[in-house]
Amino acid sequence: MTAAPKTTVLGTDERWQVIDRERASLAELLESLSPEDWERPTQCGDWRVRDVAAHLTVAARSTYRWVLREFVRARGNVDRMIHDSAVREADRPTAEIVANLRGTIGSRHLAPGTTSREPLLDILVHGQDIARALGRDRPMPAHAARDAAERVWTMRFPPRPWPLPKARLVATDTDWARGTGEEIRGPVSALLLLLTGRTAAAEERLDRADGS
């Protein structure tokens, strides 16, 4: 695999600036929703819009003690811990969920064992989960999507929950290409959705070498 260009990964300060902008714009979107909108299903498992939104507030407020308690509560299953903690958090009033999301703006608090690349990945991909459930367009900054795509491609810990495509992914709007095999081309935001298991959302903006 060709070495990643130096510009692939954002600097820490730049990454947090993007995270803050994405959190602020998503909070504005959430404030505009009707009660019915909050209950819409998303492409993120069985989560509703409110569950996804609540999940985005959890990591920035978590502590080692909270993680340990939730880990035990989930009987050592990390995926169950993430799922169940979000669903419980989603029981809060929607105004409180929005306020908690706004409260993370400017914070650089990280969930134990993570770096600033995880909250960037989370806000970009889950922001799309929410927007698509609502039928809204939510543009994704290409430089930020490239950083997140590189994070998914190189992810070792925590273990990547999505298998890598057996293909060569080529971004058409920025300098990023990874993998070998059949070529799949498209905006890096669509490639990021493909890498994170949002295949249906990604495919409509991708071109394959076989013409499909």
Side-chain angles (χ1 to χ4, degrees):
M1 183 175 68
T2 304
K6 292 181 180 179
T7 55
T8 295
V9 178
L10 300 180
T12 300
D13 288 341
E14 185 178 9
R15 190 178 295 124
W16 280 114
Q17 289 166 11
V18 174
I19 292 168
D20 284 343
R21 289 195 296 269
E22 292 294 309
R23 285 171 170 172
S25 66
L26 186 60
E28 289 181 9
L29 172 60
L30 293 171
E31 283 180 329
S32 72
L33 302 187
S34 68
E36 293 76 20
D37 287 335
W38 281 92
E39 304 304 322
R40 293 185 186 276
T42 73
Q43 291 188 18
C44 187
D46 63 352
W47 280 358
R48 303 158 295 173
V49 166
R50 67 186 304 125
D51 300 313
V52 178
H55 166 71
L56 289 170
T57 72
V58 172
R61 297 182 291 123
S62 65
T63 63
Y64 280 96
R65 178 177 295 180
W66 178 89
V67 169
L68 179 59
R69 185 185 72 236
E70 292 297 315
F71 186 70
V72 171
R73 192 172 188 176
R75 299 180 182 178
N77 186 311
V78 175
D79 289 337
R80 182 185 299 163
M81 179 184 77
I82 293 171
H83 175 277
D84 292 355
S85 62
V87 172
R88 283 193 293 272
E89 192 72 13
D91 284 339
R92 296 177 183 271
T94 56
E96 188 173 343
I97 295 173
V98 175
N100 285 339
L101 180 59
R102 285 198 178 280
T104 67
I105 298 171
S107 169
R108 295 195 176 190
H109 179 82
L110 292 167
T114 65
T115 71
S116 60
R117 303 189 76 181
E118 280 68 48
L120 177 64
L121 175 60
D122 254 13
I123 193 68
L124 290 179
V125 174
H126 287 313
Q128 294 299 311
D129 290 333
I130 290 171
R132 291 188 64 83
L134 300 167
R136 309 282 186 95
D137 182 40
R138 182 172 171 79
M140 193 186 300
H143 66 305
R146 181 179 59 187
D147 183 287
E150 184 69 13
R151 172 62 180 133
V152 177
W153 190 269
T154 60
M155 187 178 286
R156 299 294 180 271
F157 183 84
R160 184 192 309 108
W162 317 280
L164 291 178
K166 296 180 180 179
R168 179 159 177 79
L169 309 185
V170 181
T172 56
D173 56 349
T174 190
D175 181 18
W176 191 81
R178 296 289 178 269
T180 58
E182 171 200 9
E183 191 169 284
I184 301 176
R185 301 176 63 88
V188 70
S189 57
L191 296 175
L192 174 60
L193 293 178
L194 181 67
L195 285 167
T196 53
R198 277 75 174 172
T199 305
E203 288 289 356
E204 61 194 41
R205 294 192 291 144
L206 296 175
D207 293 316
R208 296 178 181 269
D210 63 5
S212 63

